[in-house]
Amino acid sequence: MVSDIGKNISRWVFALIGINFLFWNILMPVFEPADESGHYAHILYILKQKRLPNLAELVPTEKGVGYTTYSPLYYFSLIPLAKLIDAPLESEESLPYHPKKELFKKSVFSVYLHTKDELFLKWNSLMRAVHLLRLQTSVYGLLTVYLVYLTGKKIFGDESLKSLAAAVLVGLNPMFAHISNSIVNVNLSILLFSLFFYLAVGSFVSRRETKL
């Protein structure tokens, strides 16, 4: 009975975290998360050029280049979806710059001009592409939260609610939700580290139980 109640609570908690992630995805203006435009550009560079940047060459200055020296695994993972939805390059027609962008030239925030149409989901092709790519990144975040939950169960046992509390602390953390619903490469890094940590904890627990 206690186990069934715990499972029901877990389902509701993960549903709440998923809904929270969806709201973060929809309500964050396109390219306002730190460096999102550069990561998006790098995805499209690899997709359209069909190669990684040549680091022996000077870094190109035209749009659609992005972060040339970053590990490509995250970008590779998003390329199939970007190709499927025919994600367009950033342009001032699709997302105009703020008329006073020079005031923010030392920052990556508030560079773009957002209208009420974007808030009310009247998105153009660029905006749709960004939100759809964010969904895949959201999956990485949700998988990370689930791995935190599984790791907690390894440590505290199946009947303890501490593992669920750990998942809540991570999944409903505003900073984690913000990053997990932005197109930034750290999301895959966090997921892979969480997987490594889960496997490491599982191995340690198994060895301890064997010795006992």
Side-chain angles (χ1 to χ4, degrees), residues 128-162:
R128 281 195 300 272
V130 170
H131 285 289
L132 286 171
L133 289 170
R134 282 179 179 177
L135 278 177
Q136 183 170 331
T137 287
S138 300
V139 171
Y140 296 159
L142 290 172
L143 288 173
T144 297
V145 175
Y146 187 60
L147 283 169
V148 169
Y149 174 69
L150 293 180
T151 303
K153 288 172 77 70
K154 290 282 188 184
I155 297 171
F156 302 114
D158 291 338
E159 299 301 320
S160 176
L161 290 179
K162 291 179 181 178

Side-chain angles (χ1 to χ4, degrees), residues 31 40-41 44-45 48 63-65 86-91 94 126:
F31 293 160
Y40 177 83
L44 294 193
Y45 178 86
K48 295 181 182 300
K63 286 187 178 182
V65 178
D86 194 21
L89 287 171
E90 176 192 340
S91 68
S94 299
L126 173 65

Side-chain angles (χ1 to χ4, degrees), residues 14-30:
F14 279 101
L16 177 62
I17 293 172
I19 292 169
N20 179 53
F21 272 30
L22 187 60
F23 275 107
W24 274 91
N25 181 332
I26 292 172
L27 296 179
M28 280 194 299
V30 168

Side-chain angles (χ1 to χ4, degrees), residues 3-172:
S3 178
D4 290 339
I5 294 174
K7 287 180 180 178
N8 288 331
I9 294 174
S10 299
R11 292 191 189 102
W12 280 106
V13 166
F14 279 101
L16 177 62
I17 293 172
I19 292 169
N20 179 53
F21 272 30
L22 187 60
F23 275 107
W24 274 91
N25 181 332
I26 292 172
L27 296 179
M28 280 194 299
V30 168
F31 293 160
E32 287 304 327
D35 302 327
E36 186 175 57
S37 60
H39 292 287
Y40 177 83
H42 197 41
I43 295 166
L44 294 193
Y45 178 86
I46 298 173
L47 172 61
K48 295 181 182 300
Q49 299 298 323
K50 296 181 172 57
R51 67 177 179 87
L52 293 172
N54 185 348
L55 300 184
E57 298 173 352
L58 292 176
V59 177
T61 56
E62 71 273 10
K63 286 187 178 182
V65 178
Y67 297 106
T68 57
T69 57
Y70 282 9
S71 174
L73 184 59
Y74 172 76
Y75 308 104
F76 282 148
S77 74
L78 288 170
I79 283 175
L81 178 57
K83 184 176 182 180
L84 179 66
I85 63 178
D86 194 21
L89 287 171
E90 176 192 340
S91 68
E92 287 202 53
E93 290 73 29
S94 299
L95 191 64
Y97 283 117
H98 192 287
K100 296 183 179 180
K101 67 175 183 177
E102 292 303 317
L103 296 176
F104 313 105
K105 62 183 179 181
K106 292 185 179 180
S107 171
V108 294
F109 306 106
S110 305
V111 175
Y112 299 94
L113 184 64
H114 302 279
T115 67
K116 64 180 181 180
D117 284 345
E118 183 179 354
L119 178 63
F120 290 105
L121 313 187
K122 297 178 181 179
W123 298 333
N124 57 38
S125 59
L126 173 65
M127 294 174 184
R128 281 195 300 272
V130 170
H131 285 289
L132 286 171
L133 289 170
R134 282 179 179 177
L135 278 177
Q136 183 170 331
T137 287
S138 300
V139 171
Y140 296 159
L142 290 172
L143 288 173
T144 297
V145 175
Y146 187 60
L147 283 169
V148 169
Y149 174 69
L150 293 180
T151 303
K153 288 172 77 70
K154 290 282 188 184
I155 297 171
F156 302 114
D158 291 338
E159 299 301 320
S160 176
L161 290 179
K162 291 179 181 178
S163 56
L164 189 59
V168 170
L169 288 174
V170 174
L172 297 183

